Amino acid sequence: MKLYVCAALAAMMPLTAFAHDGMAVEDAYVRSTNPKTAGAFMVLDNHRKVACTLVGASSDAAERVELHTHQEADGIMKMMKDEDGFPIDPEARHALDRGGDHIMMMGLTQPLADGDVVKLVLDFGDCGTLDVEAPVDNQRTPAEASMDMGEMDHSSH
Ligand SMILES: [Cu+2]
């Protein structure tokens, strides 16, 4: 029954963008903690038999979109710009998560509220680009986002 409900919801409001080139994204959402910046989180799914790297992202919703990561420096986790991109192994997944790798939108053209949908274009270099529609979900807790990716839990939708 839960699966059925999820399928119906997905049909009305597609949260998942399936792609050309064997790249896919699951469970994308955007979280905006202030009117000027927002983070985008999702699971990158590489269906190809070659490694792909997310090298950049863009969106009409923000002046700048950067790849960020968190690194520990002197015992403190610091957010910093990632220059190398996020590699995804062949037929593997890579989670963009709070406290880890993520996409940062800076200089929002307008403040984002729950229910808004943000369009992003992910650039995987040689592996092509992927259009993603990510709903704004400021209520999302980190635990939900980082749950075991092997077993998809549709009950949280
Ligand atoms: Cu960031």
Side-chain angles (χ1 to χ4, degrees):
M1 191 55 193
K2 276 176 180 168
L3 279 173
Y4 173 80
V5 170
C6 183
L9 280 175
M12 285 188 296
M13 193 175 65
L15 303 179
T16 306
F18 285 103
H20 24 266
D21 293 336
M23 291 301 306
V25 156
E26 274 178 21
D27 199 23
Y29 72 100
V30 165
R31 188 167 178 270
S32 181
T33 50
N34 72 59
K36 277 290 164 197
T37 50
F41 310 93
M42 64 198 70
V43 178
L44 306 173
D45 197 353
N46 183 4
H47 292 161
R48 295 173 57 134
K49 299 213 180 328
V50 295
C52 291
T53 300
L54 179 65
V55 294
S58 59
S59 174
D60 290 342
E63 284 164 25
R64 271 184 305 143
V65 183
E66 297 180 350
L67 302 183
H68 280 190
T69 192
H70 283 81
Q71 258 174 33
E72 194 181 318
D74 301 325
I76 300 165
M77 288 301 281
K78 267 187 63 180
M79 183 170 88
M80 55 184 61
K81 204 171 160 184
D82 186 291
E83 306 289 353
D84 303 323
F86 305 147
I88 312 128
D89 288 337
E91 298 180 313
R93 317 173 107 207
H94 181 76
L96 305 188
D97 215 342
R98 278 141 74 181
D101 294 344
H102 59 277
I103 295 167
M104 202 80 186
M105 304 168 62
M106 292 144 108
L108 295 176
T109 52
Q110 58 183 61
L112 297 173
D114 280 342
D116 290 350
V117 174
V118 175
K119 291 185 179 179
L120 289 153
V121 180
L122 306 186
D123 183 359
F124 291 97
D126 292 344
C127 293
T129 61
L130 176 61
D131 294 343
V132 174
E133 292 192 356
V136 176
D137 185 357
N138 290 329
Q139 315 305 321
R140 181 79 77 104
T141 61
E144 275 182 88
S146 61
M147 80 177 53
D148 180 16
M149 296 303 170
E151 186 78 36
M152 276 186 31
D153 184 349
H154 286 96
S155 64
S156 62
H157 291 179

